[in-house]
């Protein structure tokens, strides 16, 4: 098991004191696992730990990204991922617009670019090959 890319001290320097340090440590470890898994899934030479060791990736940048992901999880509102919530008492209407699924930790496009992980792309098959 690899060490987390960020620790509580790094997070608190960016976002202030943590109300639940044990949960924060677990979220930072989870964010680190997601970052490493996404880099491995990319199928190119994007080993995050090796890039940090080689000096190709600033360890503070990787820590900042793990902290961003943990901060998102810690600061979610009453409905995780909701950008808008509407409640009406009669006749009982409840609507929520979600920006991402509940409880997810996401590497944004900017995070992926900073880490050197290629963006996700659509794939297509040419079904007309050989026809002229």
């Amino acid at each position: 098991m690899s060490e987390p890319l960020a620790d509580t001290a790094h997070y608190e320097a960016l976002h202030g004191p943590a109300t639940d340090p044990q949960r924060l440590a677990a979220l930072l470890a989870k964010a680190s696992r997601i970052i490493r898994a996404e880099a491995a899934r990319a199928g190119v030479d994007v080993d995050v730990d090796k890039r940090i060791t080689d000096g190709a990736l600033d360890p503070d940048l990787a820590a900042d990204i793990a902290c961003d992901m943990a901060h998102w999880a810690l600061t979610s509102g009453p409905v995780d991922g909701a950008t808008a919530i509407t409640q009406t008492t009669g006749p009982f209407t409840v609507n929520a617009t979600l920006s991402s699924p509940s409880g997810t930790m996401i590497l944004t496009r900017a995070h992926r670019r900073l880490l050197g992980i290629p963006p996700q792309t659509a794939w297509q098959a040419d079904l007309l090959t050989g026809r002229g």
Side-chain angles (χ1 to χ4, degrees):
M1 183 168 160
S2 301
E3 289 291 317
L5 297 168
D7 60 16
T8 302
H10 193 103
Y11 178 89
E12 289 180 341
L14 293 171
H15 300 289
T19 56
D20 187 348
Q22 187 174 5
R23 180 170 182 231
L24 173 59
L27 287 171
L28 291 171
K30 179 181 179 181
S32 299
R33 289 189 300 271
I34 291 170
I35 290 168
R36 288 181 176 111
E38 278 295 305
R41 185 206 55 78
V44 295
D45 185 23
V46 190
D47 182 335
V48 173
D49 295 298
K50 183 177 182 324
R51 292 187 65 228
I52 289 171
T53 302
D54 293 347
L57 177 62
D58 181 359
D60 287 333
L61 179 62
D64 290 344
I65 292 168
C67 288
D68 282 354
M69 295 170 70
H71 186 68
W72 167 257
L74 288 169
T75 59
S76 294
V79 178
D80 291 347
T83 58
I85 299 173
T86 304
Q87 294 179 325
T88 306
T89 304
F92 310 108
T93 301
V94 176
N95 294 318
T97 303
L98 301 176
S99 61
S100 68
S102 177
T104 59
M105 295 181 86
I106 298 170
L107 274 172
T108 65
R109 181 177 290 157
H111 291 155
R112 295 173 70 84
R113 184 177 60 246
L114 291 170
L115 290 167
I117 300 172
Q120 294 177 326
T121 57
W123 181 84
Q124 68 181 20
D126 182 1
L127 301 177
L128 299 176
T129 303
R131 295 184 180 215

